[in-house]
Amino acid sequence: MSELINWQNPITQMETKKESRNFIDLIIEEDLSNKKNESRVHTRFPPEPNGYMHIGHVKSVCVNFGTASKYGGKTNLRFDDTNPIAEDVEYVESIKKDIEWLGFKWDGAVLFASNYFDQLHEFAITLIKKGKAYVDDSSAEEIAAMKGTPTVPGTESPFRDRSIEENLDLFKRMKEGEFDEGTKVLRAKIDMSNSNMHLRDPLMYRIRKAKHHQTGSTWNIYPMYDWAHGLSDSIEGITHSICTLEFEVHRPLYEWFLNELEVFCPQQIEMARLNLSYTIMSKRRLKKLVELNHVNGWDDPRMPTVSGMRRRGYPAVSLRNFANRVGVARRNHVIDVSLLEFSVRETLNKTAPRVMAVLDPIKLIITNYPEGQVEQLTMINNPEDETQGSRQVPFSRDLYIEREDFMEDPPKKFFRLGIGRNVRLKGAYIINCHDVVKNDNGEVTEIHCTYYPESKSGSDTSGVKAKGTLHFVSIPHAIDAEVRLYDRLFMDEAPMSHKDRDFLEFLNPDSLSVITAKVEPHLKRVNPLDSFQFMRKGYFAVDADSTPEHIVFNRTVTLRDGWKKK
Ligand code: ATP
Ligand code: MG
């Protein structure tokens, strides 16, 4: 199976373009008209490789890459790898793959904050020499206690006024691994009574004797996010550093570091995070779902991860369209997950061939149809796209239909099959039910019908009327397929919003059920990620576990939003 993007594929050309400009566009246009940054536009996507990408990251990717490309700019992929303990190359590789699959190309090589560890270390020495950074021997608890509160100023550390020489010496020895973890940190010397808590002598370095996935055991000290992030942006010449709203309060620190060092200072721009109903979006919690086996890995089709959504059959263009629809805002809000599902249906409606699959089969026999006779019916693959052509579907005396499409004594409004009722079989004939066979429990096991030979679709001269049309699969031609029916992973709209209750309590116990379906023989030759519409049932994608001997489908999404009613 190839995961590479096929640029000839019509899916990639189906982007819904939104022409209106958002507030980030307006900032950039203003900068361009002022020839700021030599009229360059350079953004970056800075994931921490501590988990797989989720739908929130998709928004960030689309904004960063989308905005730069709109203005002829570039986007770096830079891993924010300052915490060796939580990070892993497995995550680095998955994030690269996901960005490519989403259809974006980063500028040049893949970058890492760790590429700059030497430079960051030099910059730290510069700050120490300016008297703007010091080594603090206080413990984490002592530092927290001295921090104060938003309304109470902090207290200065007893180590704050160490000499520059002593600080240089201690910092050097921290780097060389002389001290244990937690015994010393390097802090910026700013203002312990600043109303912005982030300016109360923030940490720059801590001791961590951990092996790093990029730098191995070279370093015994690791930079803190605020120190590493702004400097990495600056070193790369990023013009617009887009982040989420909670970093607004970090901006003064971002600028303080760069201004003290007299280096290029990018403009930090904050936008709202994406929040989705029925969805959790924190890598830490998603990791918990994986580790506690509530799902089958990061790419479980119920996960809001890019790899999970891809496996479930969500097209990349649907994710991009969704991100465009959500847009960028300055205020946090929750987006209804049905908007994401809408974007998925919208694409698949145009791209997925229609096929017939019976998910809950019951036998139907056409008693007046010659035994052993087979007709090949020509069926259009996709009424939305005639270039998809047509295929042959076998029709015979013995068929499967959907159990729910039959009722012995149906109410008037039931436009499917019942005793004495007419119904059309899709692309075939109108049939009339005259009898049923039951088992000892009184359950219907066979439905007996007659057909009207003159009623064939396309050449119907029978004059017989039928209100409903049912899909079917010819029994002698049917093949078995495992079908995994997915539903939302959480039953609650906001699983994180309940005080004193763990989000795991809101897991949907029915988020997966596995059935064996009867599908038309055309589906013998499919490849992982191929998408189909099972007529009247929903969109289904071939799972990565699928083999020619054992075909597996994932339900991507139903045809209509079943949660609206619930
Ligand atoms: P998480 O809490 O899931 O670990 P994070 O923000 O810590 O998220 P990062 O890997 O640091 O994860 O994020 C990379 C980029 O994606 C950052 O620029 C971050 O702002 C952005 N991002 C993360 N989550 C969202 C979201 N829900 N909406 C928009 N952008 C997001
Ligand atoms: Mg994080």
Side-chain angles (χ1 to χ4, degrees), residues 386-513:
E386 60 181 38
T387 66
Q388 291 186 15
S390 58
R391 71 186 186 291
Q392 302 289 302
V393 176
F395 180 82
S396 69
R397 183 176 187 267
D398 298 344
L399 309 172
Y400 289 121
I401 66 161
E402 214 69 67
R403 192 173 295 274
E404 63 173 20
D405 283 342
F406 176 79
M407 276 175 88
E408 257 188 283
D409 187 16
K412 239 189 152 76
K413 282 266 156 67
F414 186 81
F415 296 132
R416 300 178 239 174
L417 195 57
I419 294 179
R421 299 260 181 121
N422 284 345
V423 90
R424 177 173 290 285
L425 293 173
K426 177 75 187 171
Y429 299 93
I430 297 178
I431 54 169
N432 180 275
C433 174
H434 58 81
D435 202 5
V436 292
V437 176
K438 293 186 183 176
N439 64 14
D440 294 345
N441 299 328
E443 295 154 356
V444 177
T445 54
E446 268 180 30
I447 303 164
H448 289 188
C449 298
T450 50
Y451 83 119
Y452 301 93
E454 313 299 311
S455 66
K456 192 167 179 181
S457 285
S459 56
D460 183 354
T461 55
S462 67
V464 181
K465 294 267 173 290
K467 284 220 166 105
T469 301
L470 307 186
H471 63 279
F472 67 89
V473 174
S474 163
I475 292 180
H477 305 93
I479 50 178
D480 283 352
E482 178 180 329
V483 176
R484 300 174 183 169
L485 299 170
Y486 296 104
D487 203 344
R488 290 180 186 167
L489 189 52
F490 289 97
M491 296 178 293
D492 190 84
E493 229 173 305
M496 294 306 303
S497 66
H498 303 269
K499 291 210 168 53
D500 315 318
R501 291 188 70 183
D502 193 68
F503 73 100
L504 294 174
E505 290 179 43
F506 302 99
L507 280 166
N508 177 2
D510 302 319
S511 62
L512 169 61
S513 50

Side-chain angles (χ1 to χ4, degrees), residues 337-352:
V337 71
S338 60
L339 183 67
L340 174 60
E341 293 162 352
F342 169 83
S343 295
V344 171
R345 289 189 188 100
E346 172 194 49
T347 308
L348 292 176
N349 180 43
K350 294 179 207 142
T351 59

Side-chain angles (χ1 to χ4, degrees), residues 44-50 54-57 59-61 64 80 225 242-244 246-247 271-275 281-284:
R44 86 286 170 267
F45 175 63
E48 183 181 356
N50 61 348
H54 55 58
I55 184 75
H57 299 119
K59 173 179 174 182
S60 178
V61 164
N64 277 296
D80 159 34
Y225 174 85
I242 301 167
C243 59
T244 44
E246 64 277 18
F247 285 94
M271 64 169 182
R273 293 183 87 76
L274 172 67
N275 299 304
M281 240 187 277
S282 133
K283 281 178 285 187
R284 194 164 52 79

